[in-house]
Amino acid sequence: MYFTAARFYFLIFDYMKTVILRINPKAPEPRLIRQAAAYLQQDELVAFPTETVYGLGANALSPKAIRKIFKAKRRPSDNPLIIHIADTKQLYALVKLVPPSAEKLIRKFWPGPLTMVLKKSDIVPSEISAGLNTVAVRLPRHQIARSLIRECGFPLAAPSANSSGKPSPTDAAHVVYDLKNRIACVIDGGPTLVGLESTVIDMTRKVPVILRPGKVSQQEIETVIGKVNLHSVVSANKKINSAKSPGMKYRHYAPKAELKIIHGNPKAVEKIIRSIVQHSSAKNIAVLVTDRARFFANVSNVYIGSSAHQIAKNLFRVLRHMDDKKIELILIESLPEDGLGLAVMNRLKKAAGFNIINAR
Ligand code: AMP
Ligand code: MG
């Protein structure tokens, strides 16, 4: 039998032509939202913007649709998904119990970049929670995300819309680059606001535990519900495997280049960077600078922002840009690990495979 290359690709990867819909993030056009929702109602995948990063959506109540997420992203099946809802009322069907402290967090932070892990109800397919008896739920603030979920009439399971292991997408172009012709539709709603994924907090413990830091900080949460703990993997300086949240163990956000984080006082950091540049055999080196006045010779100087807020917004886009520019070695100074800085450093450490140099 005769196979063309395209037909072979079709058979192996479920080739489909991805439809791209440009939708106004401030006032989503109802006709276009209906078009996107129709794919989801047919168990197809649609990538859409949220305020954090782009999500890859599927009907959260359809095991068939959920399996497509894992396949399109090449995501290991033991890495659980977050369910996105459009209305607080949708939460009560998905979980067994909403404790009073969770109610307080809902009132303060929803809609917004906070995901809560709660005991799951029987309607949540086990594929979503990777076999755990808990489920992660979030009510996003982004108008496109909420209109889309509302139009579907069911909640959407939506991990970040990147190929597993790559930096999360903060623009529709990143999604298209990773998932073109593997999913039915991409909604282009412009760049995302926060740039990092949501804070994830486990509310099933007596003292809640932050499993992933994000825009909503530990301090902000503690002012609402009192003491919460940070999971040991959050601020760790080396790789730790965790049974509680299996998703934590995978390599994340990785650019093709080697990435090194330099930690220390500014003078010592500068000295180390110059020394690494001088002795490295890498052909293309980039330094991600956080101070516009700083300049390093013989490398690409890429300004990534001066505040944790700006760096959060730019980080994943810059890491992808490094791949495009065929950079082989990336150097970046560490940030103070407080507030949003903790979330930025958490992503950076994973992207660097915990390659951290202490400058003295
Ligand atoms: P992603 O949506 O790809 O940015 O990642 C979602 C992350 O949420 C996972 O990697 C887990 O760390 C976390 N998560 C989702 N569901 C659960 C759960 N039931 N228990 C603990 N962590 C979860
Ligand atoms: Mg992800």
Side-chain angles (χ1 to χ4, degrees), residues 92 95-99 102 118-119:
Y92 299 92
V95 303
K96 284 220 164 95
L97 177 80
V98 182
L118 296 161
K119 284 254 165 352

Side-chain angles (χ1 to χ4, degrees), residues 73 75 160 162 168 197 252:
K73 277 181 63 93
R75 180 176 174 113
S160 50
N162 52 289
S168 298
E197 306 86 345
H252 263 90

Side-chain angles (χ1 to χ4, degrees), residues 48-225:
F48 60 95
T50 79
E51 67 274 30
T52 57
V53 301
Y54 272 72
L56 180 60
N59 180 353
L61 305 180
S62 161
K64 180 181 166 204
I66 294 156
R67 283 196 290 270
K68 288 185 181 175
I69 289 184
F70 287 95
K71 193 169 177 201
K73 277 181 63 93
R74 301 186 179 95
R75 180 176 174 113
S77 61
D78 65 351
N79 191 356
L81 307 178
I82 294 172
I83 298 186
H84 292 66
I85 56 178
D87 194 300
T88 311
K89 279 187 233 129
Q90 284 181 300
L91 173 67
Y92 299 92
L94 299 171
V95 303
K96 284 220 164 95
L97 177 80
V98 182
S101 53
E103 297 277 6
K104 285 188 190 162
L105 292 181
I106 289 171
R107 278 199 291 279
K108 174 77 181 173
F109 298 110
W110 278 9
L114 179 72
T115 297
M116 285 194 283
V117 172
L118 296 161
K119 284 254 165 352
K120 87 175 191 69
S121 73
D122 294 337
I123 70 161
V124 176
S126 61
E127 284 87 349
I128 287 196
S129 53
L132 301 170
N133 60 3
T134 56
V135 65
V137 186
R138 172 165 108 83
L139 174 56
R141 179 175 284 277
H142 201 289
Q143 285 307 327
I144 293 179
R146 293 174 70 189
S147 318
L148 183 65
I149 302 164
R150 225 176 280 126
E151 182 64 34
C152 285
F154 44 73
L156 295 180
S160 50
N162 52 289
S163 267
S164 216
K166 292 245 224 123
S168 298
T170 56
D171 220 321
H174 305 158
V175 181
V176 171
Y177 185 88
D178 280 13
L179 299 177
K180 190 169 176 210
N181 299 339
R182 301 174 67 83
I183 63 178
C185 176
V186 176
I187 297 178
D188 181 350
T192 60
L193 198 68
V194 178
L196 293 186
E197 306 86 345
S198 60
T199 306
V200 178
I201 185 162
D202 181 354
M203 299 303 294
T204 66
R205 309 284 198 90
K206 208 163 161 210
V207 179
V209 182
I210 294 178
L211 302 176
R212 178 172 76 183
K215 178 84 173 68
V216 179
S217 68
Q218 179 179 13
Q219 296 89 319
E220 285 177 284
I221 293 171
E222 287 185 334
T223 58
V224 180
I225 58 168

